[in-house]
């Protein structure tokens, strides 16, 4: 046996215990060596038992597994080593096999045969495909959300950007060198110091990098971006990397600015209209007071209706002004409000109604005796909720009102419950309850302004209100007051 043939034979023995299929042939396509996997594959395709010296050309013609070998072997015998992938169908599954065709020569350099090595790379191929699919979906998600990711190598001072981040910053990949200094140059001059301080604080204190700032891109276009990132440290506590995301929030900022401007315009409009109407309204009310009543019944009736309409209009304007003042409450004046003191005031104001309806009011503020906010707001909230319970009581049953507090991680919750008529709450009714002039029930008198003012006062103190009601059982209002920041 020649030296090259010995080497090929030894090579086949090395892979005996592998699943890869390995065999060798001479220039006449005679089988010279093979491993057990080759023999198994041979038998699986009903090609008989392989023997050294057999002609492989008929096998390459009719064997499904071996059908891709003819061209590869021809190229290898012409001194061209090749590798190719082939897709096969087996038991309803799609398999991908890699075939390597390697020529081997004698001592004089003449090709005397070919070695073929096949391995199943199905899992590898599909893993690569899954990774590529994930990367594609990730890029698409970044594009839709207009968010990109970045990585800052602090040691090399190199910043890696995703494709979407280049778009956000108005740069072209390959033409822009991303470093901390080049990034600072893109930032709006008025925001650079704040951005730098936030990064330094993140590095020094291992804090989340979280900041919204402006950038100048293209021909002077200003964009707003929201940056978030985290710092990574080595075993010695030295920072070596920072990575995170950047989202273009220009549209959100512009939308918020537009809402603020519209609110200001609306407030100014209401103030102007209120101011312009107060004069004529005051004159109408004054004329009704000096009118000589009792001489003409028809005129008396007309003037009375004018007076009632004017008073209603005057009250509506006062309600609008009160609503505007609540929206711009001065939070610097918020203090700890004693609920027991507030209840004394509410009991005094509603004493006549409570006694007249024989209502029982029970309180339990043991969980939280104070609320952080404006005392006038808290007083008005409790006044309206108690009055609301009295208004929607059952005529045939004694009204019981229970007012308690609960202490949660984020809120102090004030609950006002009653055994009144209740209501079957639909999502639409629940929304309308707190609208201006909305009411819990349509069967009682009143403008329904109380709950609207309550909601505005609660929101002015950064809180929220929820209502649960069951027809014939009663109603519970839960008011969530934000805790005082420590």
């Amino acid at each position: 046996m020649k030296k090259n043939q010995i080497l090929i034979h030894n090579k086949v023995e090395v892979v005996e215990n592998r699943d890869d299929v390995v065999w060798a042939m001479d220039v006449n396509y005679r089988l010279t060596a093979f491993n057990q996997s080759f023999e198994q594959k041979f038998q699986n395709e009903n090609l008989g038992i392989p023997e050294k010296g057999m002609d492989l050309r008929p096998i390459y013609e009719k064997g499904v597994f071996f059908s891709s070998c003819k061209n590869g072997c021809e190229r290898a015998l012409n001194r061209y080593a090749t590798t190719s992938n082939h897709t096969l169908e087996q038991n309803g599954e799609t398999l991908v096999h890699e075939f390597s065709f390697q020529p081997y020569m004698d001592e004089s350099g003449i090709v005397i045969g070919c070695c073929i090595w096949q391995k199943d790379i199905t899992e590898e191929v599909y893993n690569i495909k899954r990774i590529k699919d994930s990367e594609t979906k990730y890029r698409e998600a970044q594009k839709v959300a207009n968010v990109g990711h970045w990585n800052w190598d602090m040691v090399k001072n190199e910043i890696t950007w995703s494709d979407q981040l280049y778009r956000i910053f108005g740069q072209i990949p390959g033409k822009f060198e991303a470093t901390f200094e080049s990034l600072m140059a893109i930032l709006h001059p008025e925001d650079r110091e704040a951005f730098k301080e936030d990064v330094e604080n993140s590095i020094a204190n291992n804090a989340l990098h979280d900041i919204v700032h402006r950038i100048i891109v293209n021909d002077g276009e200003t964009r707003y971006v929201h940056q978030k990132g985290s710092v990574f440290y080595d075993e010695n506590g030295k920072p070596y990397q920072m990575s995170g995301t950047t989202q273009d929030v220009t549209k959100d900022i512009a939308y918020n600015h537009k809402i603020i401007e519209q609110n200001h315009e609306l407030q100014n409009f209401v103030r102007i209209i209120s101011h312009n109407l107060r004069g004529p309204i005051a004159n109408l009310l004054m004329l009704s007071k000096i009118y000589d009543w009792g001489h003409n019944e028809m005129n008396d009736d007309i003037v009375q209706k004018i007076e009632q309409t004017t008073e209603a209009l005057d009250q509506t304007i006062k309600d609008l002004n009160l609503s505007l003042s609540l929206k711009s409450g001065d939070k610097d004046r918020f203090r700890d409000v004693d609920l027991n003191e507030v209840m004394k005031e509410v009991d005094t104001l509603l004493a006549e109604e409570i006694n007249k309806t024989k209502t029982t009011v029970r309180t339990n503020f043991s969980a939280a005796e104070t609320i952080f906010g404006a005392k006038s707001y808290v007083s008005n909230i409790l006044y309206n909720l108690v009055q609301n319970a009295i208004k929607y009581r059952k005529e045939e049953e004694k009204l019981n009102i229970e007012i308690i507090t609960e202490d949660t991680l984020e809120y102090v919750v004030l609950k006002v419950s009653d055994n009144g008529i209740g209501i079957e709450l639909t999502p639409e009714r629940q929304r309308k309850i707190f609208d201006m002039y909305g009411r819990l029930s349509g069967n009682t008198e009143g403008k329904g302004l109380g709950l609207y003012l309550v909601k505005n006062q609660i929101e002015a103190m950064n809180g929220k209100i929820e209502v649960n009601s069951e027809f014939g059982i009663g109603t519970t209002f839960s008011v969530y007051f934000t805790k005082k920041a420590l």
Side-chain angles (χ1 to χ4, degrees):
M1 182 181 290
K2 294 184 179 180
K3 182 178 180 182
N4 284 84
Q5 291 174 310
I6 295 173
L7 289 175
I8 291 298
H9 180 71
N10 291 337
K11 187 175 182 181
V12 172
E13 288 181 342
V14 169
V15 294
E16 273 301 341
N17 296 324
R18 294 173 59 96
D19 292 331
D20 299 346
V21 179
V22 182
W23 71 97
M25 67 177 201
D26 60 19
V27 292
N28 296 315
Y29 288 81
R30 301 290 178 179
L31 182 64
T32 58
F34 57 89
N35 67 352
Q36 291 180 356
S37 295
F38 176 87
E39 184 175 357
Q40 185 64 47
K41 190 70 67 175
F42 212 81
Q43 294 177 4
N44 288 345
E45 295 205 14
N46 299 316
L47 298 173
I49 299 175
E51 296 180 358
K52 292 180 180 180
M54 67 182 301
D55 189 353
L56 291 175
R57 279 173 289 197
I59 304 301
Y60 293 164
E61 293 290 342
K62 61 183 179 180
V64 176
F65 175 82
F66 299 98
S67 62
S68 61
C69 297
K70 182 179 179 181
N71 292 336
C73 289
E74 287 179 358
R75 290 181 60 82
L77 294 178
N78 287 313
R79 309 180 72 91
Y80 293 104
T82 60
T83 300
S84 59
N85 292 347
H86 296 276
T87 302
L88 307 172
E89 294 290 336
Q90 181 176 308
N91 299 325
E93 294 184 9
T94 300
L95 305 177
V96 182
H97 291 171
E98 180 184 81
F99 287 83
S100 296
F101 304 91
Q102 182 69 40
Y104 60 91
M105 283 81 62
D106 60 14
E107 294 178 350
S108 61
I110 298 174
V111 174
I112 60 173
C114 168
C115 179
I116 303 95
W117 189 311
Q118 174 277 337
K119 58 181 178 178
D120 189 337
I121 60 170
T122 304
E123 185 174 354
E124 179 184 342
V125 168
Y126 280 97
N127 283 339
I128 294 173
K129 184 178 183 300
R130 280 193 290 267
I131 292 173
K132 289 183 177 179
D133 288 344
S134 297
E135 290 177 347
T136 300
K137 291 178 181 177
Y138 183 56
R139 284 195 296 269
E140 290 174 351
Q142 285 194 345
K143 191 172 183 180
V144 171
N146 207 5
V147 59
H149 69 265
W150 48 267
N151 183 75
W152 177 26
D153 186 329
M154 298 180 182
V155 178
K156 298 179 180 179
N157 190 26
E158 293 178 353
I159 299 179
T160 305
W161 285 356
S162 67
D163 291 343
Q164 186 60 27
L165 197 53
Y166 278 98
R167 297 187 189 99
I168 291 174
F169 280 88
Q171 304 299 326
I172 300 175
K175 293 185 178 181
F176 177 79
E177 183 180 0
T179 64
F180 186 79
E181 289 74 21
S182 61
L183 173 61
M184 290 292 289
I186 299 175
L187 267 62
H188 192 287
E190 296 178 4
D191 295 349
R192 288 172 186 168
E193 191 62 31
F195 175 83
K196 186 177 179 181
E197 288 178 1
D198 192 82
V199 172
E200 291 175 349
N201 176 65
S202 297
I203 296 173
N205 301 307
N206 192 17
L208 178 67
H209 171 52
D210 189 347
I211 188 173
V212 176
H213 62 82
R214 293 167 291 178
I215 57 176
I216 307 297
V217 300
N218 302 328
D219 297 326
E221 176 191 352
T222 300
R223 293 179 184 173
Y224 287 83
V225 295
H226 185 187
Q227 301 239 41
K228 282 188 175 183
S230 300
V231 184
F232 298 89
Y233 304 82
D234 61 20
E235 62 275 7
N236 298 316
K238 184 178 179 180
Y240 68 90
Q241 179 181 313
M242 191 173 186
S243 61
T245 61
T246 301
Q247 184 174 22
D248 188 338
V249 293
T250 306
K251 291 182 179 179
D252 295 334
I253 297 293
Y255 181 70
N256 290 337
H257 284 168
K258 185 177 181 180
I259 291 176
I260 292 172
E261 290 175 2
Q262 289 176 341
N263 285 339
H264 287 161
E265 291 175 2
L266 178 60
Q267 290 176 4
N268 290 332
F269 173 77
V270 172
R271 290 191 179 97
I272 291 171
I273 295 299
S274 300
H275 179 269
N276 292 339
L277 287 177
R278 291 310 295 273
I281 288 173
N283 290 335
L284 285 172
L285 290 174
M286 182 185 66
L287 289 172
S288 69
K289 301 302 180 185
I290 64 175
Y291 171 71
D292 191 9
W293 297 87
H295 296 288
N296 187 305
E297 186 176 345
M298 181 178 293
N299 288 343
D300 288 351
D301 186 55
I302 293 173
V303 173
Q304 186 179 23
K305 285 182 171 57
I306 293 174
E307 184 180 45
Q308 291 173 347
T309 303
T310 305
E311 287 176 347
L313 179 59
D314 185 50
Q315 186 59 48
T316 299
I317 292 174
K318 289 179 181 178
D319 293 341
L320 286 172
N321 286 326
L322 177 58
S323 175
L324 288 176
S325 67
L326 293 175
K327 289 293 186 180
S328 56
D330 187 357
K331 296 178 177 58
D332 292 335
R333 297 183 182 180
F334 288 178
R335 298 290 183 270
D336 287 326
V337 179
D338 191 312
L339 290 174
N340 289 297
E341 290 183 4
V342 170
M343 275 308 303
K344 289 179 182 178
E345 295 179 3
V346 173
D347 287 338
T348 300
L349 292 170
L350 293 173
E352 184 177 350
E353 293 181 60
I354 291 173
N355 293 330
K356 182 180 178 181
T357 58
K358 298 180 180 180
T359 296
T360 299
V361 181
R362 296 186 180 90
T363 61
N364 183 354
F365 301 141
S366 58
E369 296 185 348
T370 61
I371 285 172
F372 185 68
K375 184 179 180 182
S376 60
Y377 289 4
V378 178
S379 297
N380 188 68
I381 290 166
L382 269 173
Y383 172 86
N384 274 286
L385 292 180
V386 173
Q387 187 184 55
N388 190 81
I390 295 173
K391 185 185 300 182
Y392 296 106
R393 69 188 184 280
K394 297 174 185 174
E395 293 295 339
E396 72 281 1
E397 186 177 337
K398 182 180 177 181
L399 177 63
N400 294 313
I401 301 175
E402 184 179 30
I403 307 173
I404 66 170
T405 54
E406 295 178 356
D407 191 359
T408 68
L409 185 64
E410 188 177 356
Y411 298 100
V412 171
V413 185
L414 179 69
K415 291 190 172 182
V416 180
S417 304
D418 65 60
N419 61 333
I421 61 174
I423 186 176
E424 185 178 344
L425 279 178
T426 63
E428 181 66 13
R429 281 179 177 176
Q430 195 162 33
R431 182 185 65 80
K432 286 186 175 181
I433 284 174
F434 299 106
D435 285 352
M436 183 176 282
Y437 305 119
R439 288 181 290 174
L440 191 65
S441 170
N443 300 324
T444 58
E445 296 180 357
K447 294 183 296 180
L449 185 65
L451 292 180
Y452 171 76
L453 295 178
V454 164
K455 181 174 182 289
N456 276 268
Q457 287 172 321
I458 293 169
E459 290 179 348
M461 293 186 289
N462 298 322
K464 61 181 181 179
I465 184 170
E466 296 176 351
V467 58
N468 288 296
S469 186
E470 188 174 350
F471 183 72
I473 303 298
T475 302
T476 297
F477 285 95
S478 299
V479 184
Y480 294 79
F481 293 93
T482 304
K483 289 186 175 181
K484 178 171 62 175
L486 300 178

